[in-house]
Amino acid sequence: MIKVVSRKDSIVVIGHADYAFYGKDIVCASASAIVITSINACLRINKESIKYKEEKDKLTIDIISKDKDVLLIIENMMSMLEELAKTYQKNIKIIKEEK
């Protein structure tokens, strides 16, 4: 299962959806496309707006800028991931932490 942990200034995406085998998993492909496109959009607006780190089965996004366009992209990313989670409840979970 993919877990998306959303905090005030960071988002962590962990795991694999296990919908299908690696390379054939439409849920992982969708989540990856949503997240990578959003990262690229933020960096295109302002190269210093976010910092991200990729590790095996984990991606961390630290939100540095409070620019309204960057925050809108992040909000849109979370909205799309939430829609994906509604359709594939066994494969992706959104966790919102207030800390």
Side-chain angles (χ1 to χ4, degrees):
M1 175 179 281
I2 296 172
K3 293 182 183 172
V4 180
V5 181
S6 173
R7 298 182 184 108
K8 180 181 176 190
D9 293 324
S10 69
I11 297 164
V12 181
V13 183
I14 307 163
H16 187 275
D18 294 321
Y19 181 80
F21 295 109
Y22 279 92
K24 304 279 186 199
D25 193 319
I26 62 171
V27 179
C28 270
S30 297
S32 293
I34 291 166
V35 172
I36 296 302
T37 299
S38 299
I39 287 172
N40 289 338
C42 289
L43 293 175
R44 196 160 199 158
I45 290 171
N46 178 351
K47 291 182 191 238
E48 303 299 320
S49 64
I50 62 167
K51 295 214 184 286
Y52 71 96
K53 182 178 180 181
E54 291 181 85
E55 301 172 80
K56 183 176 174 23
D57 293 333
K58 181 179 180 183
L59 179 99
T60 303
I61 303 168
D62 291 317
I63 305 162
I64 297 167
S65 174
K66 299 302 180 192
D67 178 278
K68 68 177 184 165
D69 293 330
V70 170
L71 295 178
L72 185 61
I73 291 168
I74 297 296
E75 181 182 324
N76 187 63
M77 177 185 77
M78 290 305 299
S79 178
M80 290 188 294
L81 290 169
E82 287 167 4
E83 287 299 316
L84 187 63
K86 285 179 189 175
T87 304
Y88 297 96
Q89 294 178 13
K90 294 180 182 177
N91 306 99
I92 180 169
K93 180 177 184 178
I94 310 297
I95 302 163
K96 294 184 179 184
E97 294 183 352
E98 298 298 323
K99 296 177 184 177

